[in-house]
PDB file of all heavy atoms in Angstrom:
ATOM      1  N   ALA A  13     -20.360  22.111  51.641  1.00 98.00           N
ATOM      2  CA  ALA A  13     -19.139  21.379  51.321  1.00 98.00           C
ATOM      3  C   ALA A  13     -18.731  21.749  49.901  1.00 98.00           C
ATOM      4  O   ALA A  13     -19.571  21.761  48.994  1.00 98.00           O
ATOM      5  CB  ALA A  13     -19.347  19.878  51.444  1.00 98.00           C
ATOM      6  N   LYS A  14     -17.475  22.040  49.721  1.00 98.00           N
ATOM      7  CA  LYS A  14     -16.984  22.434  48.398  1.00 98.00           C
ATOM      8  C   LYS A  14     -16.991  21.266  47.427  1.00 98.00           C
ATOM      9  O   LYS A  14     -17.337  21.407  46.255  1.00 98.00           O
ATOM     10  CB  LYS A  14     -15.579  23.020  48.520  1.00 98.00           C
ATOM     11  CG  LYS A  14     -15.058  23.662  47.254  1.00 98.00           C
ATOM     12  CD  LYS A  14     -13.724  24.352  47.524  1.00 98.00           C
ATOM     13  CE  LYS A  14     -13.288  25.198  46.347  1.00 98.00           C
ATOM     14  NZ  LYS A  14     -12.019  25.909  46.624  1.00 98.00           N
ATOM     15  N   GLY A  15     -16.578  20.110  47.899  1.00 98.00           N
ATOM     16  CA  GLY A  15     -16.571  18.916  47.058  1.00 98.00           C
ATOM     17  C   GLY A  15     -15.328  18.776  46.210  1.00 98.00           C
ATOM     18  O   GLY A  15     -14.709  17.715  46.165  1.00 98.00           O
ATOM     19  N   ALA A  16     -14.946  19.837  45.527  1.00 98.00           N
ATOM     20  CA  ALA A  16     -13.757  19.813  44.663  1.00 98.00           C
ATOM     21  C   ALA A  16     -13.437  21.225  44.212  1.00 98.00           C
ATOM     22  O   ALA A  16     -14.304  22.108  44.211  1.00 98.00           O
ATOM     23  CB  ALA A  16     -13.982  18.919  43.447  1.00 98.00           C
ATOM     24  N   ASP A  17     -12.192  21.423  43.846  1.00 97.00           N
ATOM     25  CA  ASP A  17     -11.790  22.673  43.209  1.00 97.00           C
ATOM     26  C   ASP A  17     -12.061  22.583  41.716  1.00 97.00           C
ATOM     27  O   ASP A  17     -11.922  21.518  41.108  1.00 97.00           O
ATOM     28  CB  ASP A  17     -10.302  22.944  43.436  1.00 97.00           C
ATOM     29  CG  ASP A  17     -10.001  23.359  44.857  1.00 97.00           C
ATOM     30  OD1 ASP A  17     -10.728  24.204  45.393  1.00 97.00           O
ATOM     31  OD2 ASP A  17      -9.033  22.814  45.439  1.00 97.00           O
ATOM     32  N   LEU A  18     -12.447  23.697  41.127  1.00 96.00           N
ATOM     33  CA  LEU A  18     -12.629  23.748  39.680  1.00 96.00           C
ATOM     34  C   LEU A  18     -11.306  24.035  38.986  1.00 96.00           C
ATOM     35  O   LEU A  18     -10.888  23.318  38.075  1.00 96.00           O
ATOM     36  CB  LEU A  18     -13.661  24.808  39.315  1.00 96.00           C
ATOM     37  CG  LEU A  18     -13.905  25.075  37.827  1.00 96.00           C
ATOM     38  CD1 LEU A  18     -14.204  23.792  37.070  1.00 96.00           C
ATOM     39  CD2 LEU A  18     -15.025  26.085  37.649  1.00 96.00           C
ATOM     40  N   GLY A  19     -10.638  25.094  39.437  1.00 92.00           N
ATOM     41  CA  GLY A  19      -9.357  25.463  38.864  1.00 92.00           C
ATOM     42  C   GLY A  19      -8.222  25.259  39.835  1.00 92.00           C
ATOM     43  O   GLY A  19      -8.426  25.065  41.036  1.00 92.00           O
ATOM     44  N   MET A  20      -7.028  25.291  39.290  1.00 85.00           N
ATOM     45  CA  MET A  20      -5.832  25.109  40.110  1.00 85.00           C
ATOM     46  C   MET A  20      -4.834  26.207  39.777  1.00 85.00           C
ATOM     47  O   MET A  20      -4.697  26.612  38.623  1.00 85.00           O
ATOM     48  CB  MET A  20      -5.202  23.738  39.840  1.00 85.00           C
ATOM     49  CG  MET A  20      -6.138  22.563  40.040  1.00 85.00           C
ATOM     50  SD  MET A  20      -5.455  21.011  39.423  1.00 85.00           S
ATOM     51  CE  MET A  20      -4.042  20.818  40.496  1.00 85.00           C
ATOM     52  N   GLY A  21      -4.153  26.702  40.780  1.00 83.00           N
ATOM     53  CA  GLY A  21      -3.104  27.687  40.544  1.00 83.00           C
ATOM     54  C   GLY A  21      -3.641  29.089  40.341  1.00 83.00           C
ATOM     55  O   GLY A  21      -4.754  29.429  40.736  1.00 83.00           O
ATOM     56  N   GLU A  22      -2.841  29.907  39.656  1.00 82.00           N
ATOM     57  CA  GLU A  22      -3.130  31.329  39.498  1.00 82.00           C
ATOM     58  C   GLU A  22      -4.322  31.575  38.586  1.00 82.00           C
ATOM     59  O   GLU A  22      -4.514  30.887  37.595  1.00 82.00           O
ATOM     60  CB  GLU A  22      -1.894  32.030  38.934  1.00 82.00           C
ATOM     61  CG  GLU A  22      -2.049  33.532  38.775  1.00 82.00           C
ATOM     62  CD  GLU A  22      -0.812  34.177  38.172  1.00 82.00           C
ATOM     63  OE1 GLU A  22       0.207  33.468  38.020  1.00 82.00           O
ATOM     64  OE2 GLU A  22      -0.872  35.374  37.848  1.00 82.00           O
ATOM     65  N   ARG A  23      -5.137  32.559  38.950  1.00 84.00           N
ATOM     66  CA  ARG A  23      -6.252  33.001  38.121  1.00 84.00           C
ATOM     67  C   ARG A  23      -6.013  34.462  37.759  1.00 84.00           C
ATOM     68  O   ARG A  23      -5.773  35.273  38.632  1.00 84.00           O
ATOM     69  CB  ARG A  23      -7.586  32.900  38.864  1.00 84.00           C
ATOM     70  CG  ARG A  23      -7.955  31.531  39.333  1.00 84.00           C
ATOM     71  CD  ARG A  23      -9.130  31.599  40.314  1.00 84.00           C
ATOM     72  NE  ARG A  23     -10.352  32.086  39.707  1.00 84.00           N
ATOM     73  CZ  ARG A  23     -10.869  33.290  39.884  1.00 84.00           C
ATOM     74  NH1 ARG A  23     -10.251  34.153  40.659  1.00 84.00           N
ATOM     75  NH2 ARG A  23     -12.003  33.639  39.304  1.00 84.00           N
ATOM     76  N   SER A  24      -6.114  34.787  36.463  1.00 80.00           N
ATOM     77  CA  SER A  24      -5.967  36.182  36.048  1.00 80.00           C
ATOM     78  C   SER A  24      -6.513  36.358  34.649  1.00 80.00           C
ATOM     79  O   SER A  24      -6.757  35.381  33.930  1.00 80.00           O
ATOM     80  CB  SER A  24      -4.495  36.622  36.084  1.00 80.00           C
ATOM     81  OG  SER A  24      -3.789  36.109  34.977  1.00 80.00           O
ATOM     82  N   PHE A  25      -6.681  37.625  34.274  1.00 78.00           N
ATOM     83  CA  PHE A  25      -7.195  37.953  32.937  1.00 78.00           C
ATOM     84  C   PHE A  25      -6.266  37.440  31.844  1.00 78.00           C
ATOM     85  O   PHE A  25      -6.704  37.039  30.771  1.00 78.00           O
ATOM     86  CB  PHE A  25      -7.365  39.468  32.816  1.00 78.00           C
ATOM     87  CG  PHE A  25      -7.866  39.915  31.477  1.00 78.00           C
ATOM     88  CD1 PHE A  25      -9.221  39.921  31.195  1.00 78.00           C
ATOM     89  CD2 PHE A  25      -6.985  40.329  30.479  1.00 78.00           C
ATOM     90  CE1 PHE A  25      -9.693  40.332  29.942  1.00 78.00           C
ATOM     91  CE2 PHE A  25      -7.443  40.740  29.237  1.00 78.00           C
ATOM     92  CZ  PHE A  25      -8.800  40.737  28.971  1.00 78.00           C
ATOM     93  N   LEU A  26      -4.951  37.457  32.115  1.00 77.00           N
ATOM     94  CA  LEU A  26      -3.982  37.147  31.073  1.00 77.00           C
ATOM     95  C   LEU A  26      -3.485  35.708  31.092  1.00 77.00           C
ATOM     96  O   LEU A  26      -2.684  35.314  30.247  1.00 77.00           O
ATOM     97  CB  LEU A  26      -2.776  38.088  31.194  1.00 77.00           C
ATOM     98  CG  LEU A  26      -3.051  39.559  30.881  1.00 77.00           C
ATOM     99  CD1 LEU A  26      -1.827  40.405  31.152  1.00 77.00           C
ATOM    100  CD2 LEU A  26      -3.492  39.739  29.434  1.00 77.00           C
ATOM    101  N   MET A  27      -3.945  34.910  32.050  1.00 81.00           N
ATOM    102  CA  MET A  27      -3.456  33.547  32.173  1.00 81.00           C
ATOM    103  C   MET A  27      -4.572  32.548  31.899  1.00 81.00           C
ATOM    104  O   MET A  27      -5.695  32.704  32.384  1.00 81.00           O
ATOM    105  CB  MET A  27      -2.915  33.306  33.588  1.00 81.00           C
ATOM    106  CG  MET A  27      -1.698  34.139  33.948  1.00 81.00           C
ATOM    107  SD  MET A  27      -0.215  33.611  33.049  1.00 81.00           S
ATOM    108  CE  MET A  27       0.044  32.002  33.777  1.00 81.00           C
ATOM    109  N   PRO A  28      -4.306  31.483  31.142  1.00 83.00           N
ATOM    110  CA  PRO A  28      -5.313  30.429  30.980  1.00 83.00           C
ATOM    111  C   PRO A  28      -5.536  29.712  32.300  1.00 83.00           C
ATOM    112  O   PRO A  28      -4.600  29.533  33.093  1.00 83.00           O
ATOM    113  CB  PRO A  28      -4.682  29.503  29.932  1.00 83.00           C
ATOM    114  CG  PRO A  28      -3.204  29.745  30.038  1.00 83.00           C
ATOM    115  CD  PRO A  28      -3.054  31.190  30.409  1.00 83.00           C
ATOM    116  N   LEU A  29      -6.763  29.304  32.548  1.00 88.00           N
ATOM    117  CA  LEU A  29      -7.097  28.638  33.799  1.00 88.00           C
ATOM    118  C   LEU A  29      -6.730  27.164  33.705  1.00 88.00           C
ATOM    119  O   LEU A  29      -7.101  26.472  32.760  1.00 88.00           O
ATOM    120  CB  LEU A  29      -8.593  28.784  34.098  1.00 88.00           C
ATOM    121  CG  LEU A  29      -9.058  28.201  35.434  1.00 88.00           C
ATOM    122  CD1 LEU A  29      -8.579  29.067  36.583  1.00 88.00           C
ATOM    123  CD2 LEU A  29     -10.575  28.069  35.457  1.00 88.00           C
ATOM    124  N   LYS A  30      -6.012  26.679  34.697  1.00 93.00           N
ATOM    125  CA  LYS A  30      -5.678  25.263  34.765  1.00 93.00           C
ATOM    126  C   LYS A  30      -6.797  24.539  35.499  1.00 93.00           C
ATOM    127  O   LYS A  30      -7.107  24.858  36.642  1.00 93.00           O
ATOM    128  CB  LYS A  30      -4.340  25.059  35.480  1.00 93.00           C
ATOM    129  CG  LYS A  30      -3.870  23.604  35.474  1.00 93.00           C
ATOM    130  CD  LYS A  30      -2.511  23.462  36.142  1.00 93.00           C
ATOM    131  CE  LYS A  30      -2.041  22.014  36.130  1.00 93.00           C
ATOM    132  NZ  LYS A  30      -0.722  21.869  36.797  1.00 93.00           N
ATOM    133  N   ILE A  31      -7.406  23.552  34.844  1.00 95.00           N
ATOM    134  CA  ILE A  31      -8.569  22.863  35.398  1.00 95.00           C
ATOM    135  C   ILE A  31      -8.139  21.666  36.239  1.00 95.00           C
ATOM    136  O   ILE A  31      -7.239  20.911  35.866  1.00 95.00           O
ATOM    137  CB  ILE A  31      -9.500  22.387  34.260  1.00 95.00           C
ATOM    138  CG1 ILE A  31     -10.002  23.589  33.444  1.00 95.00           C
ATOM    139  CG2 ILE A  31     -10.681  21.603  34.808  1.00 95.00           C
ATOM    140  CD1 ILE A  31     -10.868  24.549  34.209  1.00 95.00           C
ATOM    141  N   ASN A  32      -8.799  21.490  37.372  1.00 96.00           N
ATOM    142  CA  ASN A  32      -8.589  20.310  38.203  1.00 96.00           C
ATOM    143  C   ASN A  32      -9.290  19.110  37.570  1.00 96.00           C
ATOM    144  O   ASN A  32     -10.516  19.059  37.515  1.00 96.00           O
ATOM    145  CB  ASN A  32      -9.140  20.559  39.605  1.00 96.00           C
ATOM    146  CG  ASN A  32      -9.223  19.288  40.427  1.00 96.00           C
ATOM    147  OD1 ASN A  32      -8.405  18.379  40.277  1.00 96.00           O
ATOM    148  ND2 ASN A  32     -10.219  19.213  41.297  1.00 96.00           N
ATOM    149  N   LYS A  33      -8.522  18.149  37.110  1.00 96.00           N
ATOM    150  CA  LYS A  33      -9.082  16.974  36.462  1.00 96.00           C
ATOM    151  C   LYS A  33      -8.892  15.685  37.268  1.00 96.00           C
ATOM    152  O   LYS A  33      -9.356  14.625  36.847  1.00 96.00           O
ATOM    153  CB  LYS A  33      -8.455  16.797  35.080  1.00 96.00           C
ATOM    154  CG  LYS A  33      -8.723  17.949  34.133  1.00 96.00           C
ATOM    155  CD  LYS A  33      -8.072  17.721  32.774  1.00 96.00           C
ATOM    156  CE  LYS A  33      -8.341  18.889  31.834  1.00 96.00           C
ATOM    157  NZ  LYS A  33      -7.692  18.682  30.504  1.00 96.00           N
ATOM    158  N   THR A  34      -8.232  15.785  38.416  1.00 96.00           N
ATOM    159  CA  THR A  34      -7.891  14.558  39.149  1.00 96.00           C
ATOM    160  C   THR A  34      -8.229  14.566  40.632  1.00 96.00           C
ATOM    161  O   THR A  34      -8.498  13.510  41.207  1.00 96.00           O
ATOM    162  CB  THR A  34      -6.391  14.280  39.002  1.00 96.00           C
ATOM    163  OG1 THR A  34      -5.645  15.411  39.490  1.00 96.00           O
ATOM    164  CG2 THR A  34      -6.017  14.029  37.545  1.00 96.00           C
ATOM    165  N   ASP A  35      -8.222  15.711  41.273  1.00 97.00           N
ATOM    166  CA  ASP A  35      -8.359  15.761  42.729  1.00 97.00           C
ATOM    167  C   ASP A  35      -9.820  15.631  43.158  1.00 97.00           C
ATOM    168  O   ASP A  35     -10.619  16.551  42.976  1.00 97.00           O
ATOM    169  CB  ASP A  35      -7.767  17.064  43.258  1.00 97.00           C
ATOM    170  CG  ASP A  35      -7.788  17.143  44.787  1.00 97.00           C
ATOM    171  OD1 ASP A  35      -8.184  16.148  45.434  1.00 97.00           O
ATOM    172  OD2 ASP A  35      -7.409  18.197  45.322  1.00 97.00           O
ATOM    173  N   THR A  36     -10.169  14.483  43.720  1.00 98.00           N
ATOM    174  CA  THR A  36     -11.526  14.229  44.223  1.00 98.00           C
ATOM    175  C   THR A  36     -11.530  14.033  45.729  1.00 98.00           C
ATOM    176  O   THR A  36     -12.459  13.448  46.284  1.00 98.00           O
ATOM    177  CB  THR A  36     -12.119  12.994  43.534  1.00 98.00           C
ATOM    178  OG1 THR A  36     -11.288  11.858  43.814  1.00 98.00           O
ATOM    179  CG2 THR A  36     -12.208  13.185  42.032  1.00 98.00           C
ATOM    180  N   SER A  37     -10.509  14.541  46.383  1.00 98.00           N
ATOM    181  CA  SER A  37     -10.367  14.294  47.824  1.00 98.00           C
ATOM    182  C   SER A  37     -11.488  14.908  48.649  1.00 98.00           C
ATOM    183  O   SER A  37     -11.733  14.481  49.784  1.00 98.00           O
ATOM    184  CB  SER A  37      -9.015  14.825  48.307  1.00 98.00           C
ATOM    185  OG  SER A  37      -8.891  16.219  48.032  1.00 98.00           O
ATOM    186  N   GLY A  38     -12.179  15.909  48.104  1.00 98.00           N
ATOM    187  CA  GLY A  38     -13.271  16.534  48.849  1.00 98.00           C
ATOM    188  C   GLY A  38     -14.621  15.873  48.656  1.00 98.00           C
ATOM    189  O   GLY A  38     -15.621  16.282  49.265  1.00 98.00           O
TER     190      GLY A  38
END
């Protein structure tokens, strides 16, 4: 079971990672 996502949205070398701070649905 994944439990939760760590990041949200696009992942790339040039983009800061947006962290999931609220979604606990898993």
Side-chain angles (χ1 to χ4, degrees):
K14 189 174 190 178
D17 287 315
L18 176 52
M20 304 169 64
E22 182 182 352
R23 301 168 65 255
S24 76
F25 179 84
L26 292 175
M27 296 289 293
L29 184 72
K30 185 178 180 181
I31 299 296
N32 168 33
K33 298 180 180 179
T34 58
D35 184 5
T36 60
S37 58

